[in-house]
Amino acid sequence: MTDPWTPWLGGVVIHHHGPGSGFPKAAHQECYQQVWDIQDQAMNKWIWEKLLGKDEFDDIPYNYLVCQHGWVFEGRGAKVRSAANDIETPGANKNYFAIMGMIESGDQPSQAMLTSIRELIGHLRQHEQAGAEIKGHREVATTECPANLYPYVRNGSLEPPSAPPPGGGVGGGVNIYTRSQWGARPPLAVERVPLTARTGFTVHYSAGPPSQTPRQIQNYHMDSNGWDDIGYNFLVDRDGRIYEGRGWQTQGAHATGYNTSHLGVCFIGRDGEATARTASAVRALYHYANRLCGRTLDKTWHGGLPGQSTQCPGSALRDWVQGGMQGDDLPITDGTDGASGGMTSVRTVAAQQRAVNGLGYKPQLTVDGFWGPLTEAGVRWLQARIGVDADGLWGPRTETEYKRHTGEAGAGGGMTSVRSVGSQQGAVNRLGHTPRLSVDGVWGPQTEAGVRWLQTKVGVGADGLWGPQTEAAYNGHADEGARIAVDGVFGPVTIAAVQRAIGTAPDGAWGPASIRALQRHLNTWSDSAITVDGAMGAATVSALQRHLNRMVGAGLTTDGIWGPATIRAMQHALNLGKF
């Protein structure tokens, strides 16, 4: 399961190994053994460590490690998010690479180590979309780490020469980031559309702040609008990053009457905020869509489609589309499963192929991880055999029935195809469950109660089974949630969280400018149609209450009274990243 991974929003966090001294400096061959030891210590805790609530990791938690001789060791690498940065700071693992300098507290880093860390940071910025920040571990968690490396973090010694701007720079290629990379929730339903049915390409804007994430937009579409998924096929941000929405061969929900025929592409931002990089990325996506569809698609914008009454995508993007979508011709890297799809949020394509073969399908599929007509036919055959709808999409229902059919569900309980029992126990403890669970990897009544408690806290059905929906909700809570006290007090911390969510300066002071931003937010995302006047009157409060009822099922009476119940519901929505 690939957790959401957006390192362009942050950068890198520097670590050291821990207390002590004497990591080998003479014989470089010993450094290999030390990396193995670090991995083993992370993945296999002593029983007393488990009883203290220390997590066992699925792998070495660092992306890279650098020894005193200046050698760089690959840990998780560039494509998998770190697990070393802790969760005290929202997004610390999601938004930052973790680099360990292989020293202990009493050791001084060598010049070779410092040089290699600096060059590694430059490489990650230029080739792996790392953001511009360089932090010490102590800046995102309560720790002394990275010990004697921290002065070099602070004095700029680890800053590499200037790197191209985010997204690869003008003339650089653009990437399509998968749903798993941005932490998409699983869709409630999927309706397939063959590429041969596509005739148009429609440009939209979100009309919200460019700081919005695709997941926040998905939350609005699913929780406020009641849709099956995010409405767009793809989304593009100001830095030219392309995000997979519904993808190439799924019906959208972006323009009534055109969701089958037209691919919908949304700029994340408001009128006039799209950049040249945005335009070039959308242009690249358009030309790539033409190649996949085998025809030249009509260039359209939302408000220009017959029967659409909307200002979307604003005058700037409308004029750009009318002018022929001018921009740089950039190469594009498609990180999705290609044109044919195949749901992979529950089970990878290769795992689906192995499962089909395991039930006796003939001829046996090639287990190559690539989705195509043969694999789709095999999945449909498996679904028919286990008694679920044969739609070719391996979702949670198929997973559950397949496990029941094969006996994989087991008597011990606790869905573990997404997250091991020990990892579930650690996650429950990290969200503050009392009493703390023993992190022993054994499923029982206490662990089940803890998982149900966590599910209630992150806003999903409390069935005690940690499936893809719980995983996505937990990641959203840890990575995008405000983590504020739900106390019904509208103080500076809550105000700043609201301001961040609605795209205005988070100064913790509530006044007419913030109220106007809130009113625009409610008009955009809840169709509130309230006057943007900067006055927190009954109409605005009622619109807010209706919005909270849709987004998190708050159960508020829409009486227009601003009080503790409404504030608590708002704090809960902010903690879930659903405001």
Side-chain angles (χ1 to χ4, degrees):
M1 186 75 180
T2 302
D3 289 332
W5 179 223
T6 53
W8 53 84
L9 298 178
V12 301
V13 171
I14 305 299
H15 298 253
H16 80 307
H17 182 254
S21 64
F23 258 37
K25 302 176 184 178
H28 173 55
Q29 191 61 32
E30 296 180 62
C31 297
Y32 294 87
Q33 181 64 52
Q34 285 203 301
V35 175
W36 292 329
D37 289 342
I38 291 166
Q39 183 185 41
D40 183 64
Q41 291 164 10
M43 297 179 69
N44 302 291
K45 298 294 185 186
W46 294 98
I47 185 63
W48 62 268
E49 293 177 300
K50 294 180 182 180
L51 293 175
L52 290 174
K54 293 190 176 182
D55 287 342
E56 285 188 328
F57 292 96
D58 296 324
D59 192 4
I60 193 168
Y62 307 96
N63 299 96
Y64 296 93
L65 305 91
V66 181
C67 71
Q68 289 279 43
H69 308 89
W71 285 62
V72 177
F73 292 83
E74 181 185 37
R76 296 189 169 206
K79 305 303 182 187
V80 180
R81 89 180 198 177
S82 68
N85 298 333
D86 297 302
I87 66 165
E88 288 184 41
T89 301
N93 285 316
K94 179 184 178 184
N95 300 334
Y96 294 86
F97 289 96
I99 300 174
M100 178 204 267
M102 292 170 57
I103 60 171
E104 293 184 334
S105 299
D107 300 324
Q108 291 293 334
S110 68
Q111 187 57 52
M113 174 184 285
L114 296 172
T115 298
S116 288
I117 291 175
R118 182 172 64 246
E119 292 178 352
L120 174 59
I121 293 171
H123 169 83
L124 294 175
R125 287 181 181 176
Q126 184 171 357
H127 299 288
E128 303 295 349
Q129 302 266 333
E133 297 180 45
I134 303 174
K135 293 180 177 289
H137 188 193
R138 67 178 66 182
E139 295 177 63
V140 297
T142 304
T143 175
E144 293 301 311
C145 182
N148 290 327
L149 277 166
Y150 192 55
Y152 300 95
V153 173
R154 295 296 304 276
N155 67 18
S157 296
L158 302 182
E159 183 65 38
S162 297
V170 175
V174 292
N175 296 325
I176 302 177
Y177 293 91
T178 65
R179 292 172 64 90
S180 63
Q181 284 178 298
W182 58 263
R185 295 159 59 179
L188 300 178
V190 175
E191 186 168 343
R192 286 299 187 90
V193 176
L195 287 170
T196 53
R198 303 295 194 187
T199 60
F201 183 96
T202 302
V203 176
H204 300 255
Y205 70 167
S206 71
S211 59
Q212 279 184 312
T213 65
R215 185 188 171 104
Q216 289 169 330
I217 295 172
Q218 184 189 39
N219 285 341
Y220 288 120
H221 287 178
M222 296 181 72
D223 298 322
S224 183
N225 295 355
W227 297 349
D228 291 329
D229 195 0
I230 194 168
Y232 309 108
N233 297 96
F234 295 93
L235 303 94
V236 182
D237 68 13
R238 284 171 54 86
D239 289 322
R241 286 178 286 260
I242 304 171
Y243 303 90
E244 179 188 25
R246 297 198 178 196
W248 295 109
Q249 289 202 113
T250 300
Q251 180 176 298
H254 58 93
T256 303
Y258 299 89
N259 290 314
T260 298
S261 59
H262 286 53
L263 291 162
V265 179
C266 175
F267 163 60
I268 303 175
R270 294 167 291 216
D271 189 18
E273 293 180 331
T275 64
R277 184 72 186 180
T278 303
S280 293
V282 175
R283 175 184 169 91
L285 189 65
Y286 169 73
H287 288 295
Y288 184 57
N290 288 341
R291 292 198 298 275
L292 291 178
C293 296
R295 63 167 61 86
T296 299
L297 303 176
D298 292 337
K299 302 185 183 81
T300 64
W301 67 98
H302 188 189
L305 293 171
Q308 309 297 304
S309 178
T310 176
Q311 295 298 312
C312 178
S315 59
L317 281 173
R318 179 197 65 212
D319 293 346
W320 175 72
V321 175
Q322 287 178 318
M325 290 188 178
Q326 299 302 309
D328 294 326
D329 288 318
L330 304 180
I332 192 168
T333 301
D334 188 352
T336 70
D337 284 312
S340 298
M343 182 182 287
T344 59
S345 62
V346 175
R347 186 176 283 249
T348 65
V349 171
Q352 294 177 45
Q353 292 166 332
R354 284 192 291 269
V356 169
N357 291 342
L359 290 191
Y361 185 70
K362 301 295 182 183
Q364 291 263 301
L365 299 177
T366 301
V367 183
D368 56 10
F370 290 100
W371 184 265
L374 295 178
T375 299
E376 182 169 351
V379 170
R380 290 180 186 273
W381 171 86
L382 177 145
Q383 290 173 316
R385 179 163 182 173
I386 64 177
V388 298
D389 292 339
D391 59 5
L393 297 171
W394 194 301
R397 175 92 188 277
T398 300
E399 180 74 7
T400 299
E401 293 304 318
Y402 170 76
K403 287 190 169 185
R404 182 176 289 116
H405 183 86
T406 59
E408 283 188 26
M415 182 182 287
T416 57
S417 62
V418 174
R419 183 180 283 258
S420 69
V421 172
S423 185
Q424 293 177 45
Q425 292 165 330
V428 169
N429 289 341
R430 281 193 293 275
L431 290 195
H433 184 264
T434 304
R436 291 175 65 85
L437 301 177
S438 295
V439 184
D440 55 12
V442 178
W443 184 264
Q446 291 179 328
T447 298
E448 181 173 355
V451 170
R452 290 180 186 274
W453 170 86
L454 177 144
Q455 290 173 317
T456 299
K457 191 173 181 69
V458 302
V460 297
D463 59 5
L465 296 173
W466 193 299
Q469 188 174 13
T470 299
E471 179 74 8
Y474 171 75
N475 283 329
H477 186 277
D479 294 332
E480 297 183 27
R483 299 193 199 174
I484 54 179
V486 181
D487 57 9
V489 177
F490 196 58
V493 174
T494 298
I495 292 171
V498 174
Q499 291 169 324
R500 280 190 290 271
I502 61 180
T504 191
D507 58 11
W510 192 249
S514 296
I515 296 170
R516 284 193 292 271
L518 173 64
Q519 291 166 330
R520 286 191 292 268
H521 182 85
L522 295 170
N523 285 343
T524 299
W525 297 106
S526 282
D527 296 322
S528 298
I530 52 177
T531 303
V532 180
D533 58 7
M536 197 72 176
T540 297
V541 176
S542 293
L544 173 61
Q545 291 166 332
R546 286 191 293 272
H547 177 67
L548 294 169
N549 286 343
R550 281 194 292 264
M551 294 300 293
V552 295
L556 296 170
T557 301
T558 54
D559 54 11
I561 298 174
W562 178 247
T566 301
I567 296 169
R568 281 194 294 270
M570 184 167 59
Q571 291 168 328
H572 180 58
L574 291 164
N575 284 341
L576 297 181
K578 291 187 176 185
F579 188 72

